[in-house]
Every structure is written in structure tokens, then in C-alpha cells.
Amino acid sequence: MKLLILKGLPEEHGYSQLANALQGGLREIGHTCDVLERPFLSANSPPLIQELIVILARGQYEAVVSFGSWISRPRNAVGESIYDALSVKFLGWALDHPIYLSDLLAEGPTGRFTVYPNPNLQRFGSAVGVPGPGAVILPGAIPATPLARDHRDRRWPIVIAAVYRGPPTERPWASLPGNHIRLVLDHITDCLLEDPEASLIDAWEGTAARAGLSLPELKALDPSLETLRLPLTFVRNSARYDLVRTLVRSGLPIAVCGSGWREELGDAPNVTYLDSIPFAEIGRLYGQARICINLNAGNGASERAVQAALSGAAVVSDRNSALSELLGEDQGVRTFHHGFPQGLIKILSDLLESGDAEAMGAFARGRVSTSGLWRHRAEQAVNLLGMG
């Protein structure tokens, strides 16, 4: 099988690093895989689309793979998807919630396949009409170098990597006209805060009667679902901020990786602030941690959690059933409720006091080594495409 991976972001971006890793995994299991790198061109650039048509018209590639479904929507002069016209399958690999992936939400090829990082996102994709077969596949891990060290030799008891987005503000839809839409968005937000997996599809279904619209009807009115995006973004940012602030004030020994947190929360004797690092360096960071906290698992890809597990750190994460299945609930991952930061503090305190973190990290590392590397993900992708 011969595949082409579209890489649409600079090399240091996490998506590009995962594209490289998937290419390596596909080659490792015996498939031919090339990468088309065009990080500084718009997906709607006519020269880029024409170049892609020329490449695919040669007939060498059976499938195109793109993280985030980049360049999934181009159509030819008669309005047909370029992939359908050239009989090339398209695999859009979602690493975030579909609501943020405009190319995934847009009308694409009928020969489309989609990878989702957890079941909630697959349910959402189905509800908004993403065509074609889909599967839940977590990102793989890139083997760490050097090998995992003993926990007694690790520098940081607890590490959290979190992008700083500023303190929570008033709910951004508070000034929207119309009391009805404000009530709907408030209800969705409350559901998201109460749901252990922060599932937007569950929050929507619980609110649908009040909205009086189905998701396809809402998408027809608002193709990018920008309005529905508001509560999810708000909950992501507010939950992240509350968790980091609670950790800083907890007295637990913690390293916070991400620019801006020191200026916001101030110095504390239990806290070390680290600058943001590129995704390619994340394995080395987690190799120095005994415990790694993973955020946004319910609506994201948990790529950092999988990498942390391979590095031998104990993973503590908000809930993602796919991650729990991979690492092993309780044995290889402990889960907390993103809406209740004090629950996270108790889990961390128990791990530090019991000394169970090293055994937990070793268990998860074994699970990832046998079923969570990129060669395993490549096998799953090929099977999804029907070419295994």
C-alpha cells in the first residue's frame, strides 16, 4: 500500500511531529509512505490544490492521510471532490474536537475515513454528519530516548504542561441578543462542567429540547458551529485555569510547564515554572517526572498522556475511556473530574504518600510498548482503510 501524508504546519508543531511518527510507523509495517510538506500555504490555495491533483493523478497513492483533515474539501471544475474523482481514499485524523476542525466539518469526499481520539468525538462527528466510516484510535507514542529512568532519579515529583489562556472571564455569550440562546449556552456549559468526560455531544443532547434544533439543523445555520464552540472553549479554559491555580496553592511539589503562569499566579516554594517546550521535547520532560497530569482528555487526543506513559511517568488524567482502556484503569492511569480540582489534589497526595507512582508508570509503559506505539496505530489506520 502507498500513502501520502499531508503536512500543513511548521515542523515544530505537534501535528507535524505526529505526521512524521505515522510515516515511520507505516514504513515499519511494510507500507510505502511519502509526506507532502506545504506549511506556509493556505489549504484553499489554488497552486497547492493543483499540485495535489497532479500528484494524485499519477495513480501512485491509494490513500491520503491528514491530521486535522487539512485539505479535505477541494473540488474540481465540475464540483466533485478531487479524491473521489481520482479514486483516492482520504483519512482525516482528528486530534481535537471536530467543532474546531473546519475542514472536517465542511463537505468533503464521500470516500472519507475519520479517526477520532475518543468515543465522544466520534459520536459528535456522526451527529453533525461527517460522512464515511470512523474509528476511535488514540495517537501513538514515539519511543523515548534514553530509556525510562528510575523514579528516584527523576527531577520533578509532578509535572503539568498547560497552555496559558488567561484567567476566566464572564461567559462570552452573556451579551448576545435573545434570552433563549443565552439560556441554551448556559445549560450546555453547566452540563460540560458536571460531565466527567466534558462531552459536548451529551451536553447538546441534554439541551436539544430547549434549543429546538438538531445538530444538522444548527450546522446548516452556522456551518462552523461557532456558537456551539463558545461553551466548550469557555469550559476548557476555565477548568484549566482552576486546576493549575489549585495545584499551585496546594503545597504539592509541582513543575508547571507553560509560559504566562508565573506572571499570573506568582511564585510559591512548592512550584517550579518551566517555559513552554515544543512537542518533540515532551518525552524528555516526562522522563524527568514521576507523575504527569493530562488535561482535556474528554475532548482532546491525549497525545501527551500516551507519551508520558511510555516515559514511565504515572499518568493522572481527566477521563477518556479510550485512554483508560489503553493504559489500564487505576493500574496504569488514575482519573479525576475536571470540574472538581480538589479530587485531583487527593489523587496526587495519595500517589506521593503511597509510593505507587513508579509501579503505575511501569504498568502503563508496558501497555503502551505492546499496543500504543505508532506502528500499532499505523496497523489500525490501514485496517480502517480496508487495506490491511
Side-chain angles (χ1 to χ4, degrees), residues 18-84:
L18 299 185
N20 295 341
L22 177 60
Q23 180 188 37
L26 286 163
R27 288 176 172 176
E28 189 175 347
I29 62 172
H31 297 280
T32 301
C33 182
D34 298 325
V35 172
L36 178 64
E37 298 186 46
R38 295 295 183 270
F40 303 109
L41 286 174
S42 164
N44 296 316
S45 166
L48 175 58
I49 295 170
Q50 188 56 43
E51 178 187 14
L52 185 58
I53 290 173
V54 170
I55 291 171
L56 297 180
R58 294 175 188 149
Q60 354 178 22
Y61 299 107
E62 298 164 75
V64 167
V65 182
S66 171
F67 287 97
S69 282
W70 188 64
I71 321 184
S72 66
R73 66 175 80 181
R75 311 187 90 70
N76 58 23
V78 297
E80 185 180 15
S81 164
I82 63 172
Y83 304 103
D84 290 343

Side-chain angles (χ1 to χ4, degrees), residues 144-197:
T145 305
L147 296 177
R149 66 184 72 196
D150 290 343
H151 274 216
R152 65 175 177 270
D153 298 326
R154 296 185 179 218
R155 187 173 183 183
W156 315 115
I158 304 168
V159 165
I160 182 170
V163 177
Y164 175 69
R165 302 287 190 195
T169 58
E170 183 183 22
R171 295 185 179 190
W173 53 90
S175 60
L176 287 177
N179 187 54
H180 178 65
I181 187 63
R182 291 199 303 270
L183 288 175
V184 167
L185 295 179
D186 278 335
H187 189 267
I188 290 173
T189 302
D190 293 340
C191 291
L192 287 172
L193 288 170
E194 293 166 5
D195 189 328
E197 289 192 70

Side-chain angles (χ1 to χ4, degrees), residues 55-322:
I55 291 171
L56 297 180
R58 294 175 188 149
Q60 354 178 22
Y61 299 107
E62 298 164 75
V64 167
V65 182
S66 171
F67 287 97
S69 282
W70 188 64
I71 321 184
S72 66
R73 66 175 80 181
R75 311 187 90 70
N76 58 23
V78 297
E80 185 180 15
S81 164
I82 63 172
Y83 304 103
D84 290 343
L86 297 168
S87 299
V88 175
K89 296 180 178 181
F90 184 91
L91 175 59
W93 197 305
L95 294 167
D96 202 345
H97 198 290
I99 206 167
Y100 297 109
L101 306 176
S102 58
D103 274 58
L104 183 62
L105 292 175
E107 185 179 357
T110 57
R112 167 190 268 173
F113 298 75
T114 306
V115 165
Y116 300 94
N118 68 60
N120 293 334
L121 303 195
Q122 184 177 26
R123 289 171 53 220
F124 186 92
S126 176
V128 297
V130 175
V136 175
I137 303 176
L138 281 170
I142 304 168
T145 305
L147 296 177
R149 66 184 72 196
D150 290 343
H151 274 216
R152 65 175 177 270
D153 298 326
R154 296 185 179 218
R155 187 173 183 183
W156 315 115
I158 304 168
V159 165
I160 182 170
V163 177
Y164 175 69
R165 302 287 190 195
T169 58
E170 183 183 22
R171 295 185 179 190
W173 53 90
S175 60
L176 287 177
N179 187 54
H180 178 65
I181 187 63
R182 291 199 303 270
L183 288 175
V184 167
L185 295 179
D186 278 335
H187 189 267
I188 290 173
T189 302
D190 293 340
C191 291
L192 287 172
L193 288 170
E194 293 166 5
D195 189 328
E197 289 192 70
S199 168
L200 184 57
I201 183 63
D202 289 331
W204 171 262
E205 288 176 349
T207 311
R210 299 185 187 204
L213 288 172
S214 67
L215 275 177
E217 287 171 329
L218 182 62
K219 187 183 173 190
L221 295 172
D222 181 5
S224 67
L225 295 175
E226 191 168 343
T227 302
L228 195 55
R229 225 185 267 177
L230 292 173
L232 181 58
T233 303
F234 176 81
V235 168
R236 279 186 172 192
N237 292 341
S238 61
R240 177 196 296 118
Y241 184 89
D242 289 346
L243 283 167
V244 175
R245 181 178 60 180
T246 301
L247 286 164
V248 167
R249 294 177 176 177
S250 70
L252 295 175
I254 183 164
V256 179
C257 181
S259 303
W261 289 109
R262 181 199 296 269
E263 292 77 7
E264 175 63 30
L265 300 176
D267 289 314
N270 60 303
V271 181
T272 301
Y273 291 104
L274 306 173
D275 289 334
S276 299
I277 60 173
F279 184 79
E281 302 295 323
I282 206 76
R284 279 196 275 274
L285 172 68
Y286 293 147
Q288 290 280 5
R290 295 174 207 159
I291 302 170
C292 162
I293 300 169
N294 181 52
L295 300 177
N296 193 36
N299 279 303
S302 298
E303 68 277 9
R304 290 177 174 178
V306 178
Q307 199 64 47
L310 189 63
S311 300
V315 176
V316 179
S317 174
D318 54 344
R319 184 161 178 76
N320 174 347
S321 55

